[in-house]
């Protein structure tokens, strides 16, 4: 069995504990794939919960802007929607570290998987002569593109809430004068 020697492969000698833990390279690959799937599912759940919370906040913002009460409507539509926009900004800023942590972990497991596939070419030819994973499927660019929605969403909502807060304040101050 031939192995491709890559830079740094001599630094990571398998210890007897590693061999007992994983058994075969396929066991190691399966472990990496399960970890990637788990973290991707976790990131997806975080994104879904975040988008649900933001959508309810947008609905509450729009409803509060529609207040037409003649006695206190102007003050209400100045303060409450602005506070909701600030809440949206803070919740987006607080959601970002969780998204980032998942991204870092997914990146780590993809790196480990890629290293395994490059260092053990037998893994790629499991059932036939065509590789199980080609460079396009296991490259950093591929999976990172799929994570960009979750990574960009909090920042897009920060911008969105800043625009809405500015709009709310400008509308109310222009109506007051």
């Amino acid at each position: 069995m031939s192995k491709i020697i890559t830079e740094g492969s001599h630094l990571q000698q398998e210890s007897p504990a590693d061999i007992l833990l994983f058994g075969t390279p396929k066991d190691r690959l399966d472990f990496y794939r399960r970890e990637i799937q788990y973290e991707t599912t976790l990131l997806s759940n975080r994104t879904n919960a975040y988008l649900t919370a933001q959508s309810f906040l947008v609905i509450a913002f729009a409803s509060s802007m529609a207040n037409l009460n003649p006695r206190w409507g102007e003050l209400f539509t100045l303060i409450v929607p602005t506070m909701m926009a600030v809440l949206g900004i803070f919740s987006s800023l607080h959601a970002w570290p969780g998204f980032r942590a998942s991204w870092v972990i997914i990146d780590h497991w993809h790196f480990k998987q890629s290293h395994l596939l490059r260092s053990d070419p037998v893994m790629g030819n499991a059932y036939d002569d065509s590789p199980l994973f080609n460079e396009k499927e296991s490259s950093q660019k591929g999976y990172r593109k799929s994570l960009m929605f979750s990574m960009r969403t909090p920042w897009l909502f920060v911008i969105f809430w800043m625009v809405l807060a500015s709009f709310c304040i400008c509308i109310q101050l222009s109506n007051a004068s």
Side-chain angles (χ1 to χ4, degrees):
M1 173 164 85
S2 64
K3 289 197 177 223
I4 298 174
I5 298 176
T6 59
E7 187 175 288
S9 63
H10 64 282
L11 298 175
Q12 291 185 328
Q13 297 295 327
E14 289 188 13
S15 69
D18 286 341
I19 293 170
L20 291 176
L21 177 66
F22 290 109
T24 66
K26 176 157 179 5
D27 293 338
R28 186 181 301 244
L29 179 65
D30 290 342
F31 175 76
Y32 295 160
R33 300 293 289 176
R34 280 191 307 272
E35 289 300 311
I36 291 168
Q37 183 178 8
Y38 172 76
E39 287 299 327
T40 303
T41 301
L42 189 62
L43 179 61
S44 174
N45 291 341
R46 285 179 180 155
T47 304
N48 287 337
Y50 172 75
L51 289 173
T52 301
Q54 291 295 312
S55 67
F56 281 113
L57 199 54
V58 169
I59 292 168
F61 177 90
S63 297
S64 64
M65 284 295 290
N67 187 342
L68 299 175
N69 187 310
R71 274 189 30 211
W72 48 271
E74 287 182 21
L75 183 62
F76 181 87
T77 54
L78 175 64
I79 294 173
V80 173
T82 305
M83 289 176 57
M84 286 185 190
V86 169
L87 177 63
I89 291 169
F90 281 128
S91 68
S92 295
L93 294 175
H94 283 274
W96 168 249
F99 291 144
R100 175 78 177 142
S102 288
W103 184 83
V104 167
I105 293 169
I106 292 168
D107 192 46
H108 168 76
W109 290 119
H110 269 282
F111 172 77
K112 299 282 276 182
Q113 172 185 284
S114 177
H115 181 72
L116 175 65
L117 293 173
R118 283 193 190 105
S119 67
D120 196 352
V122 174
M123 286 299 301
N125 298 324
Y127 298 105
D128 54 23
D129 290 335
S130 61
L132 184 59
F133 296 98
N134 64 26
E135 189 62 33
K136 187 175 184 180
E137 292 170 336
S138 61
S139 71
Q140 280 187 332
K141 192 187 294 186
Y143 75 87
R144 283 186 175 175
K145 281 184 179 179
S146 68
L147 297 176
M148 290 317 301
F149 177 76
S150 293
M151 299 308 295
R152 291 180 180 156
T153 300
W155 298 111
L156 292 173
F157 268 102
V158 165
I159 294 167
F160 173 74
W161 285 116
M162 286 180 175
V163 168
L164 280 183
S166 302
F167 174 74
C168 170
I169 292 169
C170 289
I171 291 289
Q172 293 306 321
L173 294 179
S174 68
N175 285 343
S177 53

